[in-house]
């Protein structure tokens, strides 16, 4: 059973548009929610991360929105660019055991 | 250059033939971890290590072994590989469990077990 549910599986966005990827979880022991970006043939790389006591975090064109009561968090990519075309994974961590759980991934294609 | 190095990058082998995938990091990181990536399932944690001689099971440890005899190395061992272990494997490391300490991933090892 997937501990972190991610949607959509794939996403096509026009250049300049907003890409939105959503994740949901149930385990209230999670204390850290990172997003990773993965290009073909490469390992995932940390993009941005948030703690559950913060509702929003912005870094450049990338924003995480976090809704603790709904147990949901999302990644927004503003002004999406073709270079953003990649697979994105949300994840969650349990502090006590430092175990990580990943979503199933979203393949983003930004059309020029 | 700070990096996590995995070897081999690709391997095709047969059922039952023991294999080891090596992982080495040059960042003096305490935490290391192995994941497997399968289509539609994302990354699933196999084993992790908080420090030398300290290892623990992740979400899918069955059929795998690890050891952490030195801080920089964290090999993944498949004693008797089976076709359901065909996957893309990633090793990762981080300084510790602090929130500002991201995991750094290697470029992956693609294993095919026939």
């Amino acid at each position: 059973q997937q501990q972190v549910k991610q949607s959509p599986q794939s996403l096509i966005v026009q250049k300049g548009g907003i890409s939105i990827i959503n994740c949901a979880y149930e385990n209230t022991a999670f204390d850290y929610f990172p997003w990773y970006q993965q290009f073909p043939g490469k390992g995932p790389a940390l993009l941005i991360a948030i703690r559950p006591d913060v509702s929003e975090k912005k870094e450049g064109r990338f924003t995480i929105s976090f809704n603790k009561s709904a147990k949901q968090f999302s990644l927004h990519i503003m002004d999406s660019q073709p270079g953003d075309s990649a697979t994105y994974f949300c994840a969650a961590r349990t502090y006590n055991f430092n175990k990580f759980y990943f979503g199933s991934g979203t393949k983003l294609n930004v059309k020029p | 250059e700070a990096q996590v190095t995995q070897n081999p990058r690709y391997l095709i082998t047969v059922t039952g033939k023991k294999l080891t995938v090596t992982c080495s990091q040059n960042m003096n990181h305490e935490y290391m971890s192995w994941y497997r990536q399968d289509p539609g399932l994302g990354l699933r944690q196999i084993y992790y290590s908080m420090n030398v001689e300290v290892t623990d099971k992740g979400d899918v440890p069955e059929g795998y072994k690890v050891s952490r005899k030195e801080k920089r190395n964290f090999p993944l061992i498949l004693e008797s590989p089976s076709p359901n272990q065909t996957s893309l494997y990633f090793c990762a490391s981080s300084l510790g469990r602090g929130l500002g300490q991201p995991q750094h991933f290697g470029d992956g090892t693609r294993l095919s077990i026939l």
Side-chain angles (χ1 to χ4, degrees):
Chain A
Q1 182 184 346
Q2 198 107 18
Q3 292 231 16
V4 179
K5 294 191 166 88
Q6 183 172 346
S7 63
Q9 196 172 350
S10 62
L11 185 59
I12 299 173
V13 172
Q14 289 296 128
K15 179 182 173 182
I18 302 173
S19 305
I20 302 174
I21 304 170
N22 301 300
C23 286
Y25 66 97
E26 287 297 327
N27 189 343
T28 54
F30 290 148
D31 76 324
Y32 173 64
F33 299 87
W35 284 89
Y36 287 86
Q37 179 187 56
Q38 184 181 31
F39 292 105
K42 293 293 186 182
L46 180 69
L47 191 60
I48 186 172
I50 198 167
R51 290 165 30 187
D53 56 348
V54 175
S55 60
E56 186 175 282
K57 183 173 181 182
K58 185 175 180 179
E59 288 184 2
R61 296 185 293 110
F62 301 91
T63 300
I64 300 179
S65 297
F66 192 88
N67 185 330
K68 190 174 180 178
S69 60
K71 299 197 192 77
Q72 292 175 348
F73 58 111
S74 59
L75 176 70
H76 291 64
I77 306 174
M78 312 300 286
D79 187 27
S80 299
Q81 300 296 313
D84 296 331
S85 297
T87 300
Y88 292 81
F89 293 96
C90 61
R93 182 193 78 167
T94 58
Y95 178 81
N96 283 347
F97 300 102
N98 209 21
K99 290 174 75 167
F100 283 82
Y101 299 89
F102 281 72
S104 54
T106 296
K107 190 168 183 180
L108 171 65
N109 185 5
V110 181
K111 297 262 191 208
Chain B
E1 181 191 348
Q3 58 187 2
V4 177
T5 303
Q6 297 178 225
N7 279 297
R9 292 290 315 277
Y10 304 90
L11 180 63
I12 301 174
T13 187
V14 295
T15 299
K17 186 176 180 183
K18 181 179 178 180
L19 67 92
T20 299
V21 184
T22 64
C23 174
S24 180
Q25 50 91 5
N26 62 0
M27 296 168 278
N28 201 35
H29 284 171
E30 289 190 350
Y31 180 88
M32 296 186 75
S33 185
W34 276 103
Y35 297 87
R36 60 177 288 174
Q37 182 176 357
D38 300 288
L41 296 177
L43 286 88
R44 291 179 292 167
Q45 195 168 32
I46 303 170
Y47 269 95
Y48 64 98
S49 169
M50 298 292 284
N51 212 327
V52 175
E53 301 292 2
V54 180
T55 63
D56 213 338
K57 295 177 182 178
D59 220 21
V60 288
E62 296 79 18
Y64 304 95
K65 280 176 59 176
V66 292
S67 68
R68 188 94 182 270
K69 293 185 171 50
E70 307 164 277
K71 200 170 188 178
R72 61 183 292 126
N73 296 322
F74 190 44
L76 179 70
I77 302 155
L78 284 72
E79 293 265 356
S80 183
S82 62
N84 65 10
Q85 292 176 300
T86 292
S87 186
L88 179 58
Y89 291 84
F90 288 100
C91 179
S93 72
S94 68
L95 200 53
R97 69 166 78 193
L99 295 184
Q101 292 159 3
Q103 289 192 85
H104 298 261
F105 283 80
D107 283 339
T109 295
R110 189 167 288 281
L111 282 183
S112 293
I113 298 159
L114 306 176

